[in-house]
Structure formats: structure tokens, C-alpha cells
Amino acid sequence: MQGSVEHFDVIIVGAGLSGIGAAFHLKRDCPSKSYAILEGRDAIGGTWDLFRYPGIRSDSDMYTLGYNFKPWREAKAIADGPSIRKYVRDTAAENAIEQKIRFHTLVKRASWSSADALWTVEAEQGGSMVRYTCNFLFMCSGYYAYSGGYDPHWDGRETFKGRIVHPQFWPEDLDYRGKKVVVIGSGATAVTVVPEMAKDASHVTMLQRSPTYVVSRPAEDASANWLREKLPAMLAYQITRWRNVLFGMFFFNLARKRPERVKKQLIDMVKQELGPDYDVGTHFTPRYNPWDQRLCLVPDSDLFKAIKEGRASVVTDTIERFTETGIKLQSGQELEADIVVTATGLKLEMLGGMQVVVDGVQKNMALAMSYKGMMYSDVPNLASAFGYTNASWTLKCDLTCEYVCRLINHMQRHGYDQATPKSDPSVAELPWLDFSSGYVQRAKDVLPKQGVVKPWRLYQNYALDMLTLRMGRIEDGTLKFAKKPAAANTNRPEAIAAE
Ligand SMILES: Cc1cc2nc3c(=O)[nH]c(=O)nc-3n(C[C@H](O)[C@H](O)[C@H](O)COP(=O)(O)OP(=O)(O)OC[C@H]3O[C@@H](n4cnc5c(N)ncnc54)[C@H](O)[C@@H]3O)c2cc1C
């Protein structure tokens, strides 16, 4: 552990879409506050830098996945990974955020001292441990483990003579031209990778245990592009953003109120895409209702085109075992493969896997209740950026950043050092995410809870959050404020001020 400890008013953990957005908001709304970004990897962009599989792209539109302060100017609304990475990097460069990032700094532990009203953050940096202190800790570390994805056990896996690849660690040298490929999975990654690989592979089979709702949308949004030609960029962006937000909310509410009707509409659309002879019932009719899990978006029907042209196919079955040459299914069918892609998903992880200690006691974050979807019961001066499940991630992150800046400014105005959502045992708990998806169910034991009433309730509703987070009272009776004991001012001789 190094000797001197650098101090910042705010430490942001993570230099992905959220972390760069958080830095922008801090700089704009709390210009007197010093901050640093601690990033475990060597690059800006998070998800959009890590994932390199063929065709990597967003599955929500960039008018809502983009920041509210920086218009998306590209023609494609469903954008490819490199364009999103560039958008995040440009934001960092344009706002002098790059120089605030400490790369290769993987945060392992944060401990809060109420006596000092300080977080001490411990991180691994180039093989040794470093320490920082800060008054407020803003976790922008995403929601899944960077160390590895979900990789289930299958019998016989070691006997397979071909190559097995997980999309989170795509090998640069993977040559799939002319090869038989099986992609295991039916989520966003599978529906992206299948049509893309099908352009060069001899054939790609999407092997799924059960189907997902798949919806096609144009990759380019003609009206958004028209508006951008006619109007100033920011105005055009805001109009399209609001149109998409409202449409998304309308569609989500309709799916919750009339699931049968929405289900029929979605399935009918797939039938139109694939024609009357295709078995849509088996391969594209999920057992759950729309929005019980995230819908999968495909741009310009690319998946359906690949299927219709015979370059790709879907098999709905369960794996019995791997063989030397492919995969044997419970139905008895065997799929031959040179390459198997395990698009089986992510491993959810909270707060970047960091250990949280409050006044000497280690917190089990799975027992904590989320406050306004960003802070945690009985954990002072810490917020995390977490997006919507039913809309684009950044919509919620922008609001979270605005709220955190309001909170920091409020504390400064009133001379408070500590803000803690005070737990209330009388509030009944609900799971944090009400998705039936496997990755959410698998992570039940690591996710915090939400409460049945506000401010503990997660509404997954942008318009409502906009009102409450932008305009709601900071002092709501649940968030408790305190000043540090006077003696604490001289209590940290080892801390040196940053900038
Ligand atoms: C393949 C894929 C496609 C997606 N598509 C969409 C989409 O279309 N629309 C949508 O809304 N959402 C999508 N998502 C969700 C997506 O992750 C978010 O949209 C968004 O990119 C998350 O940004 P983030 O900065 O919060 O997290 P991340 O992008 O995960 O970035 C987190 C950063 O924090 C760093 N970090 C983590 N832990 C630590 C630690 N302990 N110490 C230091 N640094 C740490 C990581 O290295 C990383 O750089 C997608 C996710 C994936 C995996």
C-alpha cells in the first residue's frame, strides 16, 4: 500500500458510458468539486470497448442510449459498438475528462468512516494496492462481472474437437469463414451474432432452449435523420428522444395491461417476416409475456433474412451433451459444429465486485434496500448508476447524475458531510428487478432489494423519475443528513488534497 493518500471530493468508479456521463455532470453542475475516475481496464468505453464479437451493436436506439447533453449525429439509430465507443470517447475528450481517469485501477474495497465523513477506497494498480479518500463515491461500474460471463456446464464439453468461444472474450484470430457454427442462446447477443456470422460461415445454427420475442426495426430512423437536416442538432435530438421515450413507455404499459394482444402482434410480425411455412410457434413464441424479459431488437430484419435465405436456422431443444463433432440434443438430433459460440449471458455483479464497509462493519449489499434506485439503505455518501430494464440505460443514468449533483450541492449549501438513506424495517421488500430472465434469477442472491413504497420503489418510468429526481425534495425524511464531529477536521493527516 502506498504512503500518501490522494483525496478527491468525488471518486467515480468506471469509465464507461455512465462514468463519463457522471464526470460531465459533475463538471457542469458541481464545478468546484475535485474528482477522479478509477477504471480497472486500460480503456474508456466499458461495455462498448470490451465486447468485440461480430456485429456488436446497441439494441436500443441511440437517441435514448445517448446522453441528454450530447446529440447522437450518426445516421444509424441502432448503432454498432465502435460508433458507441467513439461517442463515449469523444465526450471524454471534448470535456477534458480523459485526464481525470486512472486506468488499470481496479477498486476492491471501500470503507466509510462516519467520524471522518470519508470513504477510503482501496484499489489494485499495476500489481500493488493504492488508496484514495473521497467524500462521495459514485459507482459507475456497470452491472456484470468483467472477469467472466455465465458459462454453464455441459457434459462432454472437453471432448469437442472444435473451438468454443464466449462472446465476452472474442478471440481476434477467430476465422469462421466457411465453417459450421452453432450459437447457443436466444438473447440480444445471439440474435446479433447469428446474422453477422451467417454472412461468411457455411451455416449458423441458433440453438435455444426456449424462444425470445424478436422485433425488427429499421437501423436508420428516417424521420430522425430528416429532422436533423432541418433543425439545430440539439433540438432535433430532443424531439426524437422524447418521441422514442413516449413510444417506449406506451408500448411497455400496453404489454403489461394487455399482454395477450401485444403477444399476438409481436408473433404476427414474425410470421409476416418468415412466411406461412415457418414454425413460428416453436421457434419464436416465448412462454412468457412480452416485457417479462427484455425484447430483442434486430435491425432491418437481418436475423429473419438470414433464416429465409437458408444461411442461418433456429433449433429449439435442450443440450444433452457435447460430442467430438458438435452437440447432441435431447430430441436425438445432432448438430455438427466447427465452432460453438456460448451466447449464454452475463454474470450480474453489483458495485464492480467491491467490498463495502461502513464504520468497520462489512455490508451485505444483497440485504440493502435501494433508495431511489441509486443509493442504499444505511450506506452513506454512495450512489450507483444503474439504467432501466425497460428502456435505454442512459435515460436513468443521466437522471441519477443530475440527482447526485443536486445532493452534493445541497450538502455543501447546508454544511452537511453525510447523507444516508435510513432503513425502515416496516417497508416490505420486493426483488430489485422483476425480470424472469435467467441472468436476473441467477443473481437474486447478490442483488439488493427494492421497497414497496417510495422512495424505496423502482418505477422503471422515465417521466416519473424525471419529475421526482429533478424536482423532488432532497430532504424527504428518509435521507438523513449529518455533520462530522468537529475533531474529525484534523483527523486525517495522511490525506493530501487533489488539485
Ligand atoms: C453486449 C451488450 C449490449 C448492450 N446493449 C444495450 C442497449 O442497446 N441499450 C441499453 O440501454 N443497454 C445496453 N446494454 C447495457 C449496457 O451495459 C449499458 O447500456 C451501458 O453501456 C452501461 O454503461 P456503464 O458505464 O454503466 O457500465 P459498463 O459499460 O459496464 O462500464 C463499467 C466500467 O466500470 C469498470 N469497472 C467495473 N468494476 C470496476 C472496479 N471494481 N474498479 C474499477 N473499474 C471498474 C469497467 O472496467 C468498465 O469500464 C448492453 C450490454 C451489453 C453487455
Side-chain angles (χ1 to χ4, degrees):
M1 193 82 75
Q2 71 180 30
S4 64
V5 177
E6 257 183 301
H7 176 77
F8 298 93
D9 294 320
V10 182
I11 284 182
I12 296 168
V13 178
L17 193 57
S18 307
I20 301 302
F24 174 90
H25 280 90
L26 261 182
K27 215 177 150 196
R28 187 188 64 187
D29 299 345
C30 307
S32 67
K33 297 294 176 195
S34 62
Y35 77 91
I37 302 180
L38 307 184
E39 167 54 56
R41 301 177 68 245
D42 62 355
I44 295 175
T47 298
W48 304 106
D49 183 69
L50 176 75
F51 280 84
R52 300 292 175 114
Y53 57 75
I56 169 75
R57 58 163 172 81
S58 67
D59 62 358
S60 58
D61 69 273
M62 287 307 298
Y63 301 101
T64 54
L65 189 57
Y67 301 116
N68 63 8
F69 56 83
K70 183 174 167 65
W72 177 253
R73 294 166 189 266
E74 308 271 322
K76 281 198 171 167
I78 308 293
D80 57 77
S83 307
I84 305 174
R85 184 168 68 230
K86 180 175 181 308
Y87 175 81
V88 180
R89 286 186 180 172
D90 287 352
T91 309
E94 287 158 12
N95 296 286
I97 293 169
E98 279 169 329
Q99 47 266 51
K100 303 282 186 179
I101 307 174
R102 311 289 165 97
F103 291 107
H104 293 294
T105 306
L106 186 66
V107 174
K108 300 298 242 185
R109 185 173 193 265
S111 38
W112 172 259
S113 156
S114 292
D116 300 321
L118 273 189
W119 282 105
T120 300
V121 177
E122 291 167 40
E124 238 175 53
Q125 196 181 63
S128 56
M129 291 302 282
V130 288
R131 249 192 320 160
Y132 300 89
T133 54
C134 65
N135 302 102
F136 200 98
L137 188 53
F138 197 177
M139 299 302 295
C140 295
S141 45
Y143 63 103
Y144 60 85
Y146 272 67
S147 53
Y150 174 62
D151 219 355
H153 168 82
W154 289 293
D155 287 341
R157 185 177 170 141
E158 63 296 340
T159 62
F160 178 56
K161 294 264 192 285
R163 203 156 168 187
I164 301 179
V165 173
H166 194 286
Q168 197 161 327
F169 305 100
W170 197 265
E172 262 179 53
D173 67 338
L174 187 72
D175 181 4
Y176 53 86
R177 280 171 303 176
K179 302 267 169 65
K180 288 186 283 266
V181 180
V182 172
V183 177
I184 304 173
S186 60
T189 300
V191 302
T192 300
V193 100
V194 166
E196 189 60 29
M197 292 184 86
K199 289 177 186 165
D200 296 312
S202 84
H203 187 81
V204 182
T205 307
M206 183 166 108
L207 170 61
Q208 56 179 14
R209 205 164 38 181
S210 58
T212 303
Y213 289 103
V214 182
V215 185
S216 173
R217 292 254 308 266
E220 291 198 14
D221 181 332
S223 63
N225 289 345
W226 182 83
L227 277 176
R228 209 176 42 250
E229 274 173 22
K230 306 286 172 208
L231 296 175
M234 190 48 132
L235 179 61
Y237 180 60
Q238 291 297 348
I239 293 172
T240 306
R241 187 174 168 92
W242 268 106
R243 184 204 59 189
N244 291 1
V245 163
L246 293 173
F247 176 75
M249 285 172 55
F250 166 77
F251 183 69
F252 177 77
N253 286 328
L254 190 67
R256 282 284 145 103
K257 285 193 186 124
R258 307 250 174 91
E260 283 309 317
R261 183 174 139 192
V262 172
K263 183 170 184 164
K264 182 173 178 321
Q265 269 173 0
L266 294 176
I267 305 299
D268 284 351
M269 276 157 57
V270 180
K271 284 181 180 159
Q272 268 176 19
E273 295 272 4
L274 291 172
D277 298 331
Y278 192 84
D279 186 358
V280 171
T282 301
H283 303 307
F284 285 98
T285 307
R287 300 175 200 137
Y288 56 87
N289 284 328
W291 277 119
D292 284 353
Q293 297 185 14
R294 224 178 146 100
L295 303 191
C296 279
L297 193 68
V298 296
D300 297 330
S301 305
D302 63 356
L303 175 70
F304 301 126
K305 282 180 191 155
I307 294 171
K308 271 199 301 202
E309 289 164 13
R311 292 179 287 117
S313 53
V314 182
V315 170
T316 306
D317 206 328
T318 303
I319 296 175
E320 188 178 293
R321 58 180 294 108
F322 271 67
T323 63
E324 282 189 10
T325 52
I327 298 174
K328 182 153 193 282
L329 304 171
Q330 277 184 0
S331 62
Q333 188 185 351
E334 279 199 50
L335 298 176
E336 280 192 13
D338 304 307
I339 297 170
V340 172
V341 178
T342 55
T344 41
L346 306 163
K347 224 188 289 169
L348 295 202
E349 185 176 79
M350 291 305 296
L351 305 179
M354 178 185 82
Q355 213 182 73
V356 178
V357 177
V358 175
D359 291 326
V361 179
Q362 191 178 329
K363 292 284 293 182
N364 178 351
M365 296 306 288
L367 300 179
M369 194 175 270
S370 150
Y371 170 84
K372 292 186 193 284
M374 65 175 90
M375 294 179 81
Y376 301 92
S377 53
D378 303 325
V379 181
N381 293 23
L382 180 147
S384 62
F386 202 95
Y388 292 117
T389 51
N390 62 355
S392 281
W393 183 267
T394 320
L395 290 172
K396 177 69 185 282
C397 286
D398 275 339
L399 292 179
T400 301
C401 294
E402 287 181 30
Y403 179 86
V404 166
C405 291
R406 277 185 72 203
L407 174 60
I408 290 172
N409 288 336
H410 180 87
M411 290 170 73
Q412 170 151 343
R413 258 197 314 277
H414 294 85
Y416 297 137
D417 299 301
Q418 181 163 341
T420 315
K422 188 81 192 74
S423 58
D424 178 353
S426 71
V427 177
E429 286 177 355
L430 287 173
W432 197 38
L433 301 176
D434 68 342
F435 260 12
S436 60
S437 316
Y439 68 98
V440 173
Q441 296 306 315
R442 282 194 300 275
K444 259 184 177 159
D445 295 341
V446 298
L447 296 178
K449 310 286 178 269
Q450 61 167 313
V452 291
V453 290
K454 63 180 188 185
W456 306 104
R457 186 77 202 253
L458 264 174
Y459 287 100
Q460 304 284 357
N461 181 321
Y462 178 66
L464 191 64
D465 282 344
M466 204 173 86
L467 286 176
T468 54
L469 296 178
R470 275 196 185 151
M471 283 175 268
R473 288 170 43 158
I474 298 270
E475 302 230 15
D476 60 356
T478 302
L479 196 56
K480 300 291 181 196
F481 292 91
K483 298 184 184 191
K484 69 182 163 201
N489 290 326
T490 53
N491 229 2
R492 47 182 182 92
E494 83 282 22
I496 54 165
E499 298 137 88

